[in-house]
């Protein structure tokens, strides 16, 4: 079983729809949660991050973490064709005063927003 | 543009061969990370170097090795290549050695090297 599970989709929605992307994880040591966006033939870029349970909002994007359920989500409001990309959740560990360089990624969800 | 450069962009080679992938981190970044992205395994961490020294190791095969040079650029060497090594190889860099989303530890990814083993 993978440490981080993410439905690869693909997900196709009309412009303006609300998109919900989700990941579950099994490692309780994960304390930092990130969402990366990857356009075709490009490297991933950091979109949002959080390190506490609850919601964090940034424009049309909301990241949600539920540590008790080991479940994280990314919501995209008023989705645009330019949001079409692969969205990867990523997690990292903090351990007693130091953090480790390894990011553990989900499989990625392919999102297409059509006009 | 993340500021991380990778060469070459594409590489086609045969089984059994050896290749070297090169990465130049963002100016001032001391950490370099290597990741492999394939359709079946997704994006997987291979290895990290911080200021010339190995810092963390993931599921890197023994046939693969990496190093970071005094000018902070890094190379990933893949030898005895197999068909299953065909993948996208990404390099990322950050200022410090951790993996939290603070500005100093955010990992910035390069455009990747697409390796095809025939």
């Amino acid at each position: 079983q993978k440490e981080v599970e993410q439905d690869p989709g693909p997900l196709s929605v009309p412009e303006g729809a609300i998109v919900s992307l989700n990941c579950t994880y099994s490692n309780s040591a994960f304390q930092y949660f990130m969402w990366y966006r990857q356009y075709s033939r490009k490297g991933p870029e950091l979109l949002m991050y959080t390190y506490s349970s609850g919601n964090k909002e940034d424009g049309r994007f909301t990241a949600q973490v539920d540590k008790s359920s080991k479940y994280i989500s990314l919501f995209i409001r008023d989705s645009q064709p330019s949001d079409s990309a692969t969205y990867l959740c990523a997690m990292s560990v903090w351990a007693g005063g130091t953090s480790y360089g390894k990011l553990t990624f989900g499989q990625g969800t392919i999102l297409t927003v059509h006009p | 543009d993340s500021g991380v450069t990778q060469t070459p962009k594409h590489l086609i080679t045969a089984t059994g061969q050896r290749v070297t992938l090169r990465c130049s981190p963002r100016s001032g970044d001391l950490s370099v990370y290597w990741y492999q992205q394939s359709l079946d395994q997704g994006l997987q961490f291979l290895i990290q170097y911080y200021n010339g020294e190995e810092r963390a190791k993931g599921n890197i095969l023994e046939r693969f090795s990496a190093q970071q040079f005094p000018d902070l650029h890094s190379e990933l060497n893949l030898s005895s290549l197999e068909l299953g090594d065909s993948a996208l190889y990404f390099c990322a860099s950050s200022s410090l050695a951790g993996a939290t989303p603070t500005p100093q530890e955010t990992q910035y990814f390069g455009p990747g090297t697409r390796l095809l083993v025939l």
Side-chain angles (χ1 to χ4, degrees):
Chain A
Q1 184 188 2
K2 291 185 177 182
E3 282 187 291
V4 180
E5 298 279 357
Q6 182 178 8
D7 186 344
L11 192 58
S12 180
V13 301
E15 183 175 354
I18 296 174
V19 176
S20 172
L21 305 165
N22 312 294
C23 289
T24 58
Y25 63 95
S26 57
N27 188 349
S28 300
F30 287 137
Q31 295 199 18
Y32 295 92
F33 305 92
M34 290 146 271
W35 286 94
Y36 277 78
R37 178 175 60 194
Q38 184 177 18
Y39 289 114
S40 181
R41 300 190 177 276
K42 300 284 187 182
E45 58 177 337
L46 183 63
L47 186 62
M48 287 199 71
Y49 66 88
T50 183
Y51 33 81
S52 58
S53 283
N55 294 354
K56 180 178 180 180
E57 202 171 302
D58 183 3
R60 296 184 295 110
F61 299 89
T62 299
Q64 190 175 78
V65 173
D66 182 348
K67 288 189 178 180
S68 62
S69 301
K70 297 189 180 65
Y71 188 88
I72 70 169
S73 300
L74 177 71
F75 298 96
I76 307 174
R77 290 183 299 282
D78 188 26
S79 56
Q80 302 296 310
S82 58
D83 295 328
S84 297
T86 297
Y87 289 81
L88 301 131
C89 61
M91 305 180 190
S92 64
V93 171
W94 175 267
T98 187
S99 62
Y100 298 101
K102 173 185 175 182
L103 285 177
T104 302
F105 284 88
Q107 188 76 4
T109 300
I110 300 171
L111 171 68
T112 301
V113 182
H114 51 86
Chain B
D1 185 359
S2 66
V4 178
T5 60
Q6 289 186 249
T7 57
K9 286 185 180 178
H10 304 276
L11 201 46
I12 302 175
T13 189
T15 54
Q17 294 299 303
R18 173 190 169 94
V19 297
T20 297
L21 313 183
R22 183 187 167 102
C23 168
S24 292
R26 294 187 320 155
S27 177
D29 281 358
L30 298 178
S31 262
V32 169
Y33 312 78
W34 286 98
Y35 291 85
Q36 179 193 58
Q37 188 174 39
S38 62
L39 280 174
D40 55 343
Q41 294 294 324
L43 192 58
Q44 291 209 313
F45 170 77
L46 294 177
I47 197 165
Q48 176 199 6
Y49 278 82
Y50 177 69
N51 204 20
E53 294 191 1
E54 184 182 304
R55 165 88 176 183
K57 213 166 184 175
N59 298 324
I60 188 167
L61 299 172
E62 284 191 15
R63 301 183 285 109
F64 296 1
S65 65
Q67 55 184 326
Q68 186 179 28
F69 294 87
D71 66 353
L72 300 176
H73 91 271
S74 178
E75 292 181 356
L76 179 68
N77 300 295
L78 315 177
S79 61
S80 302
L81 285 167
E82 302 175 359
L83 296 177
D85 297 327
S86 296
L88 264 171
Y89 291 84
F90 286 105
C91 168
S93 75
S94 67
S95 302
L96 298 179
T100 70
T102 58
Q104 295 81 10
E105 293 184 337
T106 294
Q107 294 183 23
Y108 293 89
F109 283 76
T113 293
R114 188 175 295 272
L115 174 66
L116 180 59
V117 182
L118 299 176

